[in-house]
Amino acid sequence: LSWIPKTEYISALVVLITQLSRTKVKYNGNVLLDIFKKTNSSLIRERIGFVLEESNPVIDTQELENILCDAKYGKDIGTLLLAGIKLLSKEKINSILISKFKQFSLVAIRGFRKKGGQRELEFLETQLAMGNQGKKEVKEIEKTVQKIQNRIVA
């Protein structure tokens, strides 16, 4: 994968990165994190997030965490958060999702549904009580609260 960053054509790079999502073999996902940091293309960053979520990368989880917490990437971390839900520990990703909730509420709710515990349950209940969410978010929060409550009781 070391040759991928040398590809100059964005469309070719997108196709190459997307093809990795089909592999069942573990690979060095740090190459993709490096591309994520170096590119200014939102499209490439989006594809990298999806590929890391859908495939079996071996990555430096601290590097992924650093990227997710770096404000300079803004909206471009949306799909990378999905990868973080899969690749980071529940403690790490849940802390990040709480901090990014306002900007990425549906992604955060999805992450809490998979890895949320008592803290995330209380956070979501507070969000419902504040009444700042749209209908879709309220519905998803209610489903997630139920799922977390069932997991805590079990």
Side-chain angles (χ1 to χ4, degrees):
L1 296 180
S2 61
W3 55 270
I4 288 181
K6 296 177 180 103
T7 304
E8 295 179 22
Y9 301 101
I10 289 179
S11 59
L13 188 54
V14 169
V15 169
L16 291 170
I17 290 169
T18 303
Q19 290 304 311
L20 285 173
S21 67
R22 296 189 173 114
T23 184
K24 303 295 182 217
V25 179
K26 289 195 178 283
Y27 64 93
N28 182 359
N30 294 319
V31 173
L32 296 180
L33 293 178
D34 193 45
I35 294 170
F36 187 97
K37 292 188 305 186
K38 290 179 180 175
T39 188
N40 291 323
S41 169
S42 292
L43 177 61
I44 290 174
R45 287 178 172 166
E46 176 185 274
R47 293 310 314 151
I48 288 171
F50 281 130
V51 168
L52 291 174
E53 178 195 20
E54 295 171 1
S55 61
N56 294 309
V58 175
I59 62 158
D60 176 352
T61 56
Q62 185 60 55
E63 185 63 26
L64 175 57
E65 185 179 349
N66 292 343
I67 293 170
L68 291 174
C69 293
D70 193 330
K72 75 179 177 184
Y73 298 113
K75 300 182 305 187
D76 288 351
I77 65 162
T79 60
L80 200 60
L81 281 168
L82 296 172
I85 293 167
K86 174 183 174 184
L87 299 168
L88 296 176
S89 71
K90 67 181 178 181
E91 293 80 15
K92 298 250 183 206
I93 193 59
N94 286 341
S95 292
I96 293 169
L97 292 173
I98 286 172
S99 73
K100 304 289 183 181
F101 188 84
K102 187 172 183 179
Q103 190 174 16
F104 300 101
S105 60
L106 290 174
V107 174
I109 294 165
R110 178 177 172 180
F112 296 152
R113 192 173 298 147
K114 290 183 178 184
K115 292 189 170 183
Q118 186 64 41
R119 178 181 67 156
E120 293 72 36
L121 175 63
E122 292 169 7
F123 176 81
L124 290 174
E125 289 172 337
T126 300
Q127 295 302 311
L128 282 175
M130 290 179 1
N132 295 335
Q133 306 301 318
K135 288 182 182 180
K136 183 173 185 169
E137 286 86 359
V138 167
K139 183 178 178 180
E140 292 301 313
I141 289 172
E142 288 171 346
K143 285 196 287 189
T144 302
V145 164
Q146 185 64 48
K147 178 115 180 176
I148 294 171
Q149 287 172 335
N150 291 343
R151 183 170 42 243
I152 291 172
V153 171

